[in-house]
Amino acid sequence: MKAIITTGAGGPEVLALGETQAPVAGPGEVLIDVVAAGINRADVQQRRGFYPPPPGTSELLGLEVSGRIAAFGPNVTRPFSLGEKVVALLTGGGYAAQVAVPAGQVLTLPAGIDVISAAGLPEVAATVYSNLFMTAQLQAGETVLVHGGAGGIGAMAIQLAKAAGARVITTAGSDEKVAMLTSYLGADLAVNYRTHDFVAAVKDFTEGLGANVILDVVGAKYLARNVESLATYGRLMVIGLQGGATAEVNLGNLLTKRAAIIGTTLRARSVEEKTVIMEGVREHVWPLVASGAVKPMVDRTFPLDQVVAAHEYLESGQHVGKVLLTL
């Protein structure tokens, strides 16, 4: 089958269209003919050699796809049908014509969403739902700070938090993105982190109380300032390391605030955990997407053979929402 092969660790130029062995659906798995695949920062990190796939999983990039069910492995009990349009959360293998995935990580499309746009939903929906709601227990009336609001995760986090009745502060790297995040996605406050201090903005917006929950994709670079921005009993969810992995923190601030720093990844979780998360997405997120309260944010699509250009575009930071590959 056609697939994107990584010829070594490095920049986008190490990606190339090639051929590899087609997967076979094993016990409890479904085989999907891929229509589109989402590109994520984790793919970039894996391409650079910094985020290897878990042992025993596909070496191919790609953590989410949309497509049609092509076959079933033994012991699949979920009510799917051949040809049904679905999305899937993957451990890898999405940059390819076909992928085999545990049935618990597969969902039918939300009503009214086309099969290409749907490819940008499973990874961000599962990441945001599991972190903001399952772990951080974000409540109506609380304030959440979402870093990187113009990215796929950020755009989903803003919308889900608003739908849950929370107040949303977000950061972005340009005045144009800041304006879009408030006018289109409904953030209560958006801060250009290149020109303004988000710590001061959070304190001013909350009248000195701080953010109850922070969703952070930056990591070390923001750690001290995130802790400073937390409210009493605040929860800092670290889900990315774009700004490094090692930093110092004043534990006195953390103790005084009775706050928590929680680090999570989605990829390494068990099939059982991912199944629970995807059931939560189906029950709590899909109805919001179907009603239009949460919008899939697709910036651009690239054909599979233009994967180098797609990665270059993602890394340029120009995008707002998701970048997809189409087959």
Side-chain angles (χ1 to χ4, degrees):
M1 68 171 181
K2 291 192 304 182
I4 297 301
I5 309 300
T6 305
T7 60
E13 69 277 359
V14 304
L15 302 175
L17 183 63
E19 295 281 333
T20 191
Q21 184 69 38
V24 175
E29 293 184 334
V30 298
L31 185 69
I32 297 173
D33 288 329
V34 176
V35 171
I39 300 177
N40 292 279
R41 289 286 178 183
D43 302 338
V44 174
Q45 291 297 89
Q46 181 175 335
R47 189 202 72 213
R48 291 172 175 168
F50 300 138
Y51 191 37
T57 61
S58 174
E59 296 285 335
L60 300 178
L61 302 182
L63 299 179
E64 59 183 345
V65 297
S66 61
R68 297 177 178 87
I69 292 183
F72 299 99
N75 306 320
V76 173
T77 59
R78 290 176 177 263
F80 297 120
S81 57
L82 289 175
E84 188 169 8
K85 295 176 183 178
V86 294
V87 297
L89 178 70
L90 312 176
T91 309
Y95 292 15
Q98 288 187 318
V99 65
V101 57
Q105 295 169 210
V106 179
L107 297 177
T108 55
L109 269 60
I113 301 301
D114 69 272
V115 68
I116 291 178
S117 298
L121 287 173
E123 174 74 13
V124 295
T127 297
V128 173
Y129 177 75
S130 63
N131 280 280
L132 285 190
F133 299 100
M134 294 178 69
T135 302
Q137 294 289 302
L138 180 67
Q139 303 295 313
E142 290 191 316
T143 299
V144 59
L145 169 62
V146 176
H147 287 299
I153 287 175
M156 177 62 68
I158 292 168
Q159 295 182 86
L160 287 183
K162 288 298 296 181
R167 301 194 305 170
V168 178
I169 306 169
T170 190
T171 62
S174 73
D175 290 339
E176 293 76 16
K177 289 181 178 180
V178 161
M180 185 279 299
L181 295 175
T182 53
S183 63
Y184 185 68
L185 292 185
D188 296 282
L189 175 68
V191 181
N192 184 338
Y193 64 80
R194 300 185 192 275
T195 58
H196 292 79
D197 178 10
F198 72 79
V199 179
V202 168
K203 289 183 177 179
D204 181 64
F205 182 82
T206 61
E207 298 180 341
L209 295 177
N212 304 103
V213 176
I214 299 177
L215 188 65
D216 177 51
V217 297
V218 178
K221 183 179 178 181
Y222 277 7
L223 181 59
R225 285 188 284 168
N226 278 333
V227 171
E228 189 177 350
S229 301
L230 281 174
T232 302
Y233 296 110
R235 293 86 76 196
L236 168 58
M237 305 299 303
V238 181
I239 62 170
L241 301 173
Q242 295 176 27
T246 304
E248 291 187 0
V249 64
N250 185 333
L251 291 176
N253 286 344
L254 206 64
L255 295 176
T256 300
K257 294 183 176 186
R258 283 86 74 198
I261 301 174
I262 305 167
T264 73
T265 62
L266 182 61
R267 186 183 196 182
R269 298 193 192 204
S270 67
V271 172
E272 291 76 18
E273 285 184 279
K274 290 177 182 176
T275 298
V276 171
I277 292 169
M278 292 300 277
E279 280 299 305
V281 168
R282 181 189 60 78
E283 181 177 354
H284 299 287
V285 179
W286 261 205
L288 296 171
V289 176
S291 72
V294 171
K295 312 173 187 69
M297 293 288 291
V298 177
D299 184 293
R300 285 185 65 178
T301 63
F302 291 81
L304 188 65
D305 61 3
Q306 293 181 21
V307 64
V308 172
H311 270 238
E312 289 174 343
Y313 181 64
L314 183 80
E315 290 188 84
S316 75
Q318 299 175 54
H319 63 290
V320 176
K322 296 290 294 189
V323 179
L324 307 179
L325 296 171
T326 57
L327 281 80

